[in-house]
Amino acid sequence: MDIKEFVHNKDVDFTKNLIGKSDIRAVEKELGVKIGSQLEEYLLEYGYLGFESVELYGVNSRQKLKSDMVTQTLYLHKYFRKTKPYIAIESFGDGDYRLVDPDDNVYRYISDGDDLTSTGKKLFDYILERFEEEM
């Protein structure tokens, strides 16, 4: 099953207030990070995704640059220099984040210790795995 099938077949939450391509460019400019093709598709198709206890960051047409993906990424960039080439996609709390690079690779970042490690997963594979863990 891929991410589209999962979202279609399960009770996955997403926004109806979607952004457009010009908003993607505005987010890239604000963050200073290029958005990869999977992250762009995620934002244009869903805005954000949530399933069971998993809620991923996103951008919607009402909040645009005030959306949680943008504000959380800017926060990380301000206080943790190592995160500057990445965009935040999820928080596990206690300074434990998942970040995405311009090639849609997902990383784990732990602010206490400034530790960045690759998950070895692309964005859609990561999301699908997170949602399947909840079943």
Side-chain angles (χ1 to χ4, degrees), residues 88-104:
I89 190 71
E90 185 177 17
S91 172
F92 282 75
D94 297 325
D96 187 358
Y97 297 92
R98 295 306 173 274
L99 311 176
V100 183
D101 75 9
D103 295 316
D104 296 307

Side-chain angles (χ1 to χ4, degrees), residues 4-68:
K4 287 179 191 267
E5 290 173 294
F6 194 97
V7 170
H8 180 72
N9 294 322
K10 306 292 181 189
D11 188 24
V12 178
D13 192 31
F14 55 91
T15 187
K16 294 186 183 349
N17 301 311
L18 295 171
I19 62 170
K21 285 207 179 243
S22 63
D23 300 309
I24 295 284
R25 304 293 84 85
V27 169
E28 287 178 327
K29 186 175 180 185
E30 181 74 11
L31 299 178
V33 180
K34 177 153 177 31
I35 291 175
S37 60
Q38 287 186 14
L39 183 55
E40 181 170 322
E41 183 179 340
Y42 166 87
L43 293 171
L44 293 173
E45 292 281 323
Y46 310 112
Y48 83 97
L49 289 172
F51 180 70
E52 301 291 336
S53 67
V54 176
E55 187 169 327
L56 303 171
Y57 294 140
V59 179
N60 65 69
S61 63
R62 289 180 185 222
Q63 295 176 301
K64 293 190 180 179
L65 297 179
K66 302 259 188 259
S67 295
D68 59 1

Side-chain angles (χ1 to χ4, degrees), residues 76 80 82-83 92-99 107-117:
L76 289 169
F80 305 101
K82 199 179 274 188
T83 68
F92 282 75
D94 297 325
D96 187 358
Y97 297 92
R98 295 306 173 274
L99 311 176
Y107 295 81
R108 180 179 188 191
Y109 179 71
I110 302 172
S111 60
D112 184 26
D114 197 31
D115 185 41
L116 182 73
T117 54

